[in-house]
Amino acid sequence: MELGIYHGYTTRILATIFKKVIAVDINKGLLQLAAKNVGPLEENVVFLFMDLMSDDWRKMANNDVDVVIIDADHTYQGVRRDAENVLKHLPTLKWIVFHDTWW
């Protein structure tokens, strides 16, 4: 699972490594752009429009997610909130990768 996809370049790489990628973003335009940039690998990707701050994370618990990349809200509070939510709602989680979290 990738939280925050921007243009989908990382999504494309993830789609070559993993058999399924859930790409999550609040920006519909970026979701569409990422789908174009992922190209034929799109069959491995589920693009999900979601507001990580206000949408119900319980709907994510049914997904077998091993790895999450947190790259959405780059504030301390946002990164912490996302980390707490993935730990709480993704019971199969094994790895969390943090990106752009130095602030």
Side-chain angles (χ1 to χ4, degrees), residues 54-73:
S54 63
D55 286 348
D56 188 354
W57 274 78
R58 289 178 291 185
K59 65 183 174 185
M60 302 300 255
N62 294 330
N63 295 293
D64 289 329
V65 175
D66 293 328
V67 180
V68 170
I69 298 175
I70 297 178
D71 188 21
D73 181 342

Side-chain angles (χ1 to χ4, degrees), residues 78-96:
V79 171
R80 181 177 175 153
R81 181 196 60 245
D82 291 343
E84 288 172 349
N85 277 321
V86 299
L87 289 169
K88 181 177 179 182
H89 296 288
L90 300 174
T92 61
L93 186 64
K94 296 176 185 162
W95 300 93
I96 300 176

Side-chain angles (χ1 to χ4, degrees), residues 15-75:
T16 65
I17 298 170
F18 298 99
K19 59 183 175 179
K20 184 63 73 179
V21 176
I22 302 170
V24 182
D25 209 289
I26 191 171
N27 186 314
K28 289 182 181 180
L30 289 178
L31 288 165
Q32 292 170 345
L33 179 60
K36 284 183 185 177
N37 288 333
V38 168
L41 293 169
E42 185 179 354
E43 65 187 36
N44 295 359
V45 182
V46 174
F47 291 96
L48 179 63
F49 173 74
M50 181 176 173
D51 184 338
L52 298 172
M53 286 179 31
S54 63
D55 286 348
D56 188 354
W57 274 78
R58 289 178 291 185
K59 65 183 174 185
M60 302 300 255
N62 294 330
N63 295 293
D64 289 329
V65 175
D66 293 328
V67 180
V68 170
I69 298 175
I70 297 178
D71 188 21
D73 181 342
H74 296 133
T75 66

